[in-house]
Amino acid sequence: MASIEEKVEEHFKALLDDLHIRHFGKTEEINSSITEALKAADSKSGGSGANYPDIQLLLQNKTRRDIPVMIEAKGTKNRLEKLTPDGGIELVSKGKNPNRAVQQFAVNGALHYGLAILDEGTYNEVIIIGINGTTLENGRVKDPEVKAYYVSEKNNRVPKELVGFDFVQMKKSNIDTFFEELDRLSLTDAEREKLKRVKEETLEQSIKSIHQRIYDDASIKTLLNTNDKLYLFCGLIMAGLTTEGVKPLKVSDFDSNDDATDNDGKLILTRTESFLRKKNCPSEKVAMVLNSLRPVFEKHDLWKPVNGESVIKSIYKQVKADILPLLESNIHLDFTGKILNSLSDWVSIENDKQNDVVLTPRFVTNLMARITRTDMDSFVWDTCMGSSGFLVSAMEIMINDAKKRIKDTQELDKKIEHIKHNQLLGIEVLGNIYILAVLNMILMGDGSSQIICGDSHKEGPKFIKSHKDTFPANVFLLNPPYSAPGKGLIFVEEALSRMQTGYGAVLIQENAGSGQGDVYSKQILEKNTLIASVHMPVDLFNGKSSVQTAIYLFQVNRPHEADDVVTFIDFSEDGYTRQNRKKSTQKVNLRNTDHALERYDEVAAICLGKKPKTSYYTEANGHVIRDTVTLDGDDWTFNQHKKIDTTPTEADFKKTVADYLAWKVGAILKGQVSVDD
């Protein structure tokens, strides 16, 4: 069937005329910003060439809020839009023509134009519309169809469908009401979580690609040890992040001079210092970071030009293109954890065996922050914070809770600042990991105020002067070094003893609670109540550590009593499938293959004493056990409370007889026994 695309365009242009809505054709210019945005972007075929939306609009309300509208027309059956298997608008597909969707489908092409406008930066929101039709009647389109989406930076460019859209909503008299409807469109929790997973997977692959390049280049590889690579990543990112009052660092700003005092390494150090100062980092923290970065960026072989370009400039190109856009979205990502995950694919972190530098997955840090009842009024601390993954998850929960509960904008802003600067405390003994934690918290909006580099046995709430010598901790989150006394329980006992109220959760080697926790497990129960024990997947740290772990949840400052009931959960099947990073050919090392999000929600509900929405883990199916523990602290594990029924059943009898007969027949056929035996 021949396309009636031109007739479709005519139909909708006539409709816009009837509504007195000003519209622009393919080659008409709305303004220079939109024209330049469409000109600078790749064409729909993926190469160079101009972009010409079929119809363009610029909506404006009475407060001079402008929203561009990109409309793409098709005129063939089933060409309105093409979606991915998970319901997204497809932009790139597999096969010989990866740009097929944006070329052949109306909504997809409109989204291509809309994203080009957002990339240019003048506008932070756009409406995309696909129009289509397949049949003519008396020269007019008989079956016009429309689908519209709102795409904005506030929603991280996730298209939100305008359900029931009608062009009449764009009439001048209806614009203010229409804009109010757009403002009510926001990401659901499920969409936000999905987006976060996609961004984290993309981020890890981008970091991995850069690290692979360093690993494969012998001339670079020999220059950088593990710490050097950590600092290289951090410096390039801090120098490149958009900072108020400092012009964004462009690739063209790198001159690749062969000069000891004016080179690309010096440029990174200068910009990093500006970044830290603009983030109001104290002078001692700035000095510590720069002292760590300086030996790397002063390496002659990194800043000297080779064929007119330094290694630093070359790597920065990739960082700016692939990593910085992800970090500058408003989705909080444990970026530094991804750095360490990438580096651990090929090398061991310095002192890893002694200090057990194992990064806790974000979905676990989030679970632990939830079951400790973290909210906007919590004071959260971590005495072995690593790259601050627990604090990142806690801060996000605290801020989201504040947004739900505080309606006054000024009060909300004040509360968020208080959360970032006063309600989080982290301590890390390793200097190289500490720098990653500082960067992680800065990326969260500068929650690095109370990030301490030191020994947690000496540092703690009572040493924090900003709170008049106290930090009223009521949430404790921890993944301790398992080689420490009590398999790491020494950190738990010390921390809980400094708290007056609240909850603590520790991800730890499970046998610390089965008699190998030294004196610490018993001492913990003398002052705190064990609420839950969660048996975790054995491959939780796949590719890094294979120890069996458990989450132990405590109520602080309430001695455990002999008749207190503890909830034991077998969470060994958490819905995720993992691949070994070094051997896997999969791009995604972690895949949600069996309702992982719902399973984590269910475990959180069980630990919090709430009614779960699903039933993957119940007493009926044996995945939940409620039982008491001794006050000796040596029976905290799920398997120690698992009841094994040894009473033989009829099925057991039948199986035994069948096994015997199978053996007997095989033995007779082999001549090993006679029929009469």
Side-chain angles (χ1 to χ4, degrees):
M1 180 184 294
S3 173
I4 61 168
E5 182 174 325
E6 288 188 9
K7 291 294 184 179
V8 170
E9 275 190 56
E10 290 176 7
H11 174 91
F12 283 99
K13 285 179 178 178
L15 175 61
L16 292 170
D17 287 336
D18 290 342
L19 295 171
H20 303 290
I21 298 173
R22 175 74 167 93
H23 55 87
F24 300 80
K26 288 184 176 70
T27 58
E28 290 184 90
E29 180 176 295
I30 296 179
N31 59 45
S32 59
S33 295
I34 293 175
T35 299
E36 287 303 312
L38 295 171
K39 183 178 179 181
D42 289 341
S43 69
K44 289 195 297 182
S45 62
S48 59
N51 286 285
Y52 297 111
D54 291 321
I55 306 173
Q56 306 172 66
L57 311 177
L58 186 64
L59 304 182
Q60 185 180 91
N61 70 352
K62 60 186 178 184
T63 62
R64 294 298 305 273
R65 173 183 173 186
D66 296 347
I67 304 181
V69 182
M70 298 290 108
I71 304 175
E72 183 73 352
K74 295 299 174 188
T76 310
K77 187 177 181 180
N78 298 326
R79 294 293 181 178
L80 183 62
E81 71 175 347
K82 180 170 174 39
L83 303 178
T84 61
D86 63 356
I89 300 173
E90 184 174 296
L91 287 173
V92 180
S93 57
K94 296 180 180 179
K96 293 182 180 179
N97 182 8
N99 300 293
R100 174 178 176 271
V102 298
Q103 291 174 306
Q104 299 183 9
F105 294 86
V107 168
N108 306 64
L111 178 58
H112 171 79
Y113 299 135
L115 293 176
I117 290 173
L118 295 181
D119 286 340
E120 190 270 339
T122 300
Y123 300 96
N124 58 19
E125 56 187 341
V126 65
I127 294 170
I128 64 162
I129 302 175
I131 54 177
N132 190 34
T134 61
T135 307
L136 294 178
E137 186 176 83
N138 298 323
R140 296 187 177 186
V141 179
K142 180 182 179 181
D143 55 350
E145 52 183 349
V146 180
K147 203 157 191 181
Y149 292 84
Y150 173 61
V151 188
S152 65
E153 297 293 0
K154 75 168 186 177
N155 286 328
N156 287 277
R157 302 191 178 191
V158 175
K160 300 294 293 182
E161 184 181 353
L162 303 180
V163 179
F165 170 77
D166 191 306
F167 279 104
V168 73
Q169 293 173 277
M170 294 182 173
K171 281 183 63 176
K172 186 175 182 180
S173 58
N174 297 329
I175 281 292
D176 289 325
T177 301
F178 182 48
F179 279 20
E180 289 174 5
E181 292 181 15
L182 298 180
D183 290 337
R184 287 194 289 271
L185 292 172
S186 59
L187 296 179
T188 64
D189 290 341
E191 287 173 328
R192 189 171 291 277
E193 180 61 29
K194 175 185 173 183
L195 177 63
K196 182 175 289 188
R197 292 200 317 275
V198 170
K199 284 183 176 290
E200 285 187 335
E201 289 166 1
T202 303
L203 178 61
E204 185 160 1
Q205 289 304 317
S206 297
I207 295 171
K208 201 170 185 178
S209 174
I210 296 174
H211 183 232
Q212 180 73 54
R213 173 185 170 186
I214 295 172
Y215 186 83
D216 290 340
D217 190 328
S219 63
I220 303 176
K221 180 180 176 182
T222 55
L223 293 173
L224 303 172
N225 60 32
T226 305
N227 279 347
D228 290 341
K229 283 182 279 188
L230 291 176
Y231 299 145
L232 177 68
F233 273 106
C234 287
L236 292 175
I237 287 158
M238 285 189 278
L241 285 169
T242 300
T243 310
E244 186 177 353
V246 180
K247 188 184 74 171
L249 185 61
K250 300 178 181 178
V251 174
S252 59
D253 293 330
F254 291 80
D255 295 322
S256 295
N257 295 330
D258 192 359
D259 184 88
T261 58
D262 182 13
N263 56 62
D264 290 347
K266 295 287 186 182
L267 175 62
I268 293 294
L269 292 172
T270 300
R271 282 306 185 95
T272 299
E273 182 173 4
S274 297
F275 171 79
L276 294 171
R277 301 276 184 206
K278 288 292 183 179
K279 293 297 182 180
N280 297 315
C281 287
S283 296
E284 62 272 16
K285 190 174 290 184
V286 174
M288 181 179 182
V289 172
L290 292 177
N291 287 339
S292 298
L293 299 183
R294 193 169 286 112
V296 175
F297 288 96
E298 288 185 348
K299 288 180 182 288
H300 178 260
D301 288 340
L302 290 181
W303 58 255
K304 74 175 182 180
V306 176
N307 297 323
E309 183 172 277
S310 70
V311 170
I312 290 172
K313 179 178 180 178
S314 177
I315 296 176
Y316 181 76
K317 283 182 183 178
Q318 201 167 348
V319 168
K320 186 170 180 62
D322 298 340
I323 295 178
L324 294 182
L326 293 168
L327 298 182
E328 291 182 332
S329 71
N330 59 3
I331 291 291
H332 298 142
L333 307 176
D334 180 9
F335 157 70
T336 59
K338 298 305 178 187
I339 289 183
L340 290 184
N341 282 346
S342 175
L343 296 186
S344 67
D345 288 353
W346 303 102
V347 294
S348 297
I349 302 298
E350 185 178 327
N351 299 325
D352 187 14
K353 292 183 179 179
Q354 293 86 346
N355 291 291
D356 311 293
V357 181
V358 180
L359 278 298
T360 312
R362 182 186 58 79
F363 49 87
V364 177
T365 62
N366 177 268
L367 171 66
M368 292 171 65
R370 288 158 63 189
I371 64 177
T372 48
R373 303 173 188 266
T374 301
D375 62 21
M376 72 177 197
D377 295 320
S378 297
F379 284 80
V380 184
W381 71 314
D382 178 355
T383 56
C384 305
M385 69 174 172
S387 67
S388 74
F390 281 115
L391 299 184
V392 169
S393 289
M395 185 194 288
E396 184 174 24
I397 290 173
M398 295 162 78
I399 291 174
N400 287 340
D401 183 50
K403 289 178 178 178
K404 292 177 182 177
R405 293 165 57 183
I406 301 175
K407 303 307 178 185
D408 182 83
T409 303
Q410 289 184 333
E411 185 183 348
L412 175 60
D413 290 343
K414 184 178 179 181
K415 179 60 178 178
I416 290 175
E417 284 304 304
H418 191 269
I419 288 170
K420 293 177 179 179
H421 293 283
N422 300 295
Q423 293 178 227
L424 298 155
L425 169 63
I427 305 171
E428 174 56 48
V429 69
L430 297 177
N432 55 337
I433 307 300
Y434 167 77
I435 290 177
L436 290 177
V438 169
L439 176 56
N440 227 4
M441 299 307 287
I442 287 175
L443 290 173
M444 286 285 289
D446 195 11
S448 68
S449 299
Q450 297 190 131
I451 302 298
I452 300 169
C453 184
D455 185 346
S456 66
H457 300 305
K458 301 175 183 178
E459 304 280 3
K462 63 184 180 180
F463 294 99
I464 304 303
K465 295 181 180 180
S466 61
H467 285 285
K468 297 181 180 179
D469 298 329
T470 185
F471 179 86
N474 55 16
V475 171
F476 177 60
L477 301 169
L478 183 72
N479 176 8
Y482 305 151
S483 59
K487 302 285 185 179
L489 282 181
I490 183 175
F491 290 96
V492 182
E493 194 276 331
E494 285 183 348
L496 297 184
S497 69
R498 300 183 189 183
M499 298 171 63
Q500 296 300 313
T501 61
Y503 296 85
V506 57
L507 176 68
I508 198 166
Q509 195 164 338
E510 189 174 37
N511 58 19
S514 63
Q516 297 188 38
D518 205 348
V519 298
Y520 303 104
S521 55
K522 182 177 181 180
Q523 290 176 358
I524 288 171
L525 294 185
E526 289 173 356
K527 297 181 180 180
N528 309 278
T529 302
L530 178 64
I531 297 175
S533 167
V534 184
H535 177 74
M536 299 300 286
V538 69
D539 59 350
L540 188 65
F541 300 112
N542 190 38
K544 180 63 178 175
S545 173
S546 59
V547 299
Q548 177 61 60
T549 58
I551 294 173
Y552 295 130
L553 174 64
F554 304 94
Q555 182 179 351
V556 175
N557 205 23
R558 179 196 177 275
H560 195 101
E561 298 176 357
D563 58 351
D564 283 331
V565 175
V566 179
T567 300
F568 297 88
I569 305 172
D570 180 4
F571 197 32
S572 55
E573 298 295 332
D574 69 347
Y576 283 116
T577 299
R578 302 162 177 87
Q579 291 89 33
N580 184 290
R581 288 191 180 89
K582 291 183 182 179
K583 298 179 181 179
S584 174
T585 58
Q586 298 277 347
K587 284 190 175 182
V588 179
N589 298 309
L590 180 78
R591 293 181 294 134
N592 181 350
T593 53
D594 191 5
H595 302 90
L597 302 182
E598 293 82 0
R599 288 173 181 264
Y600 274 82
D601 285 344
E602 182 175 330
V603 168
I606 294 170
C607 290
L608 292 169
K610 297 181 181 295
K611 183 179 180 180
K613 296 178 181 178
T614 52
S615 55
Y616 296 104
Y617 311 98
T618 66
E619 290 184 80
N621 64 24
H623 291 304
V624 175
I625 299 170
R626 291 182 170 86
D627 199 1
T628 59
V629 297
T630 72
L631 299 183
D632 293 326
D634 58 2
D635 61 342
W636 294 359
T637 73
F638 177 87
N639 286 330
Q640 287 175 289
H641 295 264
K642 189 175 182 179
K643 303 296 190 296
I644 301 175
D645 188 358
T646 58
T647 304
T649 64
E650 183 178 349
D652 294 328
F653 174 74
K654 289 180 179 179
K655 184 177 186 305
T656 301
V657 171
D659 289 343
Y660 171 75
L661 291 176
W663 170 82
K664 185 68 178 286
V665 170
I668 292 173
L669 293 175
K670 294 177 182 178
Q672 296 172 341
V673 297
S674 66
V675 176
D676 297 329
D677 286 344

